[in-house]
Amino acid sequence: MQSAMKPSGGEGTPVHVAIIMNGNGRWAKSRGMPRAMGHKRGAEAVRRTVEAAGEIGISYLTLFGFSSENWSRPKQEIGDLMGLLRLYLRSEIAELHRKNVRLRMIGDRSRFERDIIALIEEAERMTAENSGLTLVLALSYGGRQEIVAAIRSIVQDVGNSKLLPEEIDVECVHGYLHTAGIPDPDLLIRTSGEQRISNFLLWQLAYTEFVFLDTLWPDFSANDFRRAISEFNDRDRRYGAVVAPN
Ligand code: IPE
Ligand code: IPE
Ligand code: MG
């Protein structure tokens, strides 16, 4: 099987790393600080991680920053997170562009305030032609919601005779997802101890290797990143096939 979606082998640098950035709240709580402080330090970890991804030579880095379900958090916390997102986009766009990073956002952007939508669009437009790291921000993102949206579009296109039912296959569905054109993640890292997906990239993680770290996201370092990649390198990826013993 060789397709646009097939991830790279379990050796060397993964092409696509996805990270569930978790543990900001606990980081703050353990220091007697408000959760907002954990998110602020979490944003600094994002900056470091993007930098490290470039140095390591990763082609795609997807960061789960805010889930569809996170909208159910207290108003105050959502306000803090939106403020940080605004600040991050305003302060980082130029720097990301200078570093040849291409920015892409996946998720339901219609739920954000207008100025944030405008900032995201500006960042995507400005960096669209860049050829370095592709930074994918998953914001207001849910894997199930993404699949539902894809099904709706597929049904619509079949209804309009743009698509024949027999043309619907794995490649076709891939093209209807927010991640169209992006290879599936080779490695998924989740920080802060929980071992679950929390509605992240449900379709795309089919053959991804998972590494769970106890490190809380604000403490995540380039060293942790390299450690996770080294664990990935020890894995034997078989994709359901039988590998001959050597
Ligand atoms: C991750 O940290 C950031 C977001 C989900 C926005 P959390 O806010 O989930 O922190 P914990 O997991 O409660 O410690
Ligand atoms: C997952 O973290 C979402 C993001 C990291 C953006 P959560 O903290 O929301 O996940 P649960 O609630 O522990 O499953
Ligand atoms: Mg959490």
Side-chain angles (χ1 to χ4, degrees), residues 53-246:
E55 281 162 17
I56 293 167
I58 287 158
S59 303
Y60 298 86
L61 176 69
T62 299
L63 299 178
F64 199 10
F66 193 83
S67 73
S68 306
E69 292 72 27
N70 288 149
W71 287 111
S72 68
R73 290 194 179 192
K75 241 181 140 76
Q76 164 86 46
E77 178 160 352
I78 290 175
D80 293 339
L81 285 165
M82 293 305 134
L84 270 174
L85 177 58
R86 223 177 243 119
L87 208 70
Y88 179 82
L89 290 169
R90 281 203 193 119
S91 64
E92 295 302 304
I93 294 174
E95 182 61 10
L96 291 173
H97 186 43
R98 200 184 62 75
K99 289 197 175 121
N100 199 23
V101 172
R102 182 168 53 144
L103 194 111
R104 200 162 143 181
M105 188 225 143
I106 58 169
D108 179 7
R109 64 183 73 186
S110 71
R111 296 187 73 172
F112 291 116
E113 284 176 26
R114 294 209 60 80
D115 70 306
I116 292 186
I117 298 175
L119 278 170
I120 292 167
E121 284 172 354
E122 189 199 332
E124 286 181 327
R125 203 170 34 240
M126 187 174 181
T127 63
E129 304 303 322
N130 288 347
S131 56
L133 172 76
T134 298
L135 173 62
V136 183
L137 296 181
L139 301 169
S140 186
Y141 173 87
R144 287 182 168 172
Q145 290 80 349
E146 177 187 38
I147 291 169
V148 168
I151 292 170
R152 282 198 182 153
S153 301
I154 288 171
V155 169
Q156 217 165 44
D157 284 354
V158 169
N160 296 333
S161 306
K162 280 195 210 150
L163 184 69
L164 295 169
E166 52 272 29
E167 287 173 330
I168 304 169
D169 58 11
V170 169
E171 289 279 351
C172 167
V173 172
H174 166 82
Y176 279 86
L177 297 172
H178 296 313
T179 51
I182 298 174
D184 289 342
D186 301 294
L187 167 63
L188 172 80
I189 302 169
R190 180 169 184 145
T191 59
S192 88
E194 277 93 5
Q195 304 193 353
R196 55 176 172 253
I197 303 183
S198 300
N199 202 16
F200 191 38
L201 301 175
L202 296 181
W203 171 279
Q204 298 86 341
L205 296 175
Y207 271 102
T208 302
E209 296 295 329
F210 291 13
V211 171
F212 298 102
L213 302 176
D214 287 333
T215 313
L216 301 174
W217 176 250
D219 291 329
F220 186 77
S221 66
N223 253 353
D224 293 316
F225 206 167
R226 288 179 199 279
R227 198 156 48 90
I229 290 171
S230 131
E231 191 169 331
F232 165 81
N233 282 322
D234 290 338
R235 304 273 175 91
D236 184 13
R237 301 181 86 186
R238 285 187 289 276
Y239 304 102
V242 176
V243 174
N246 47 31

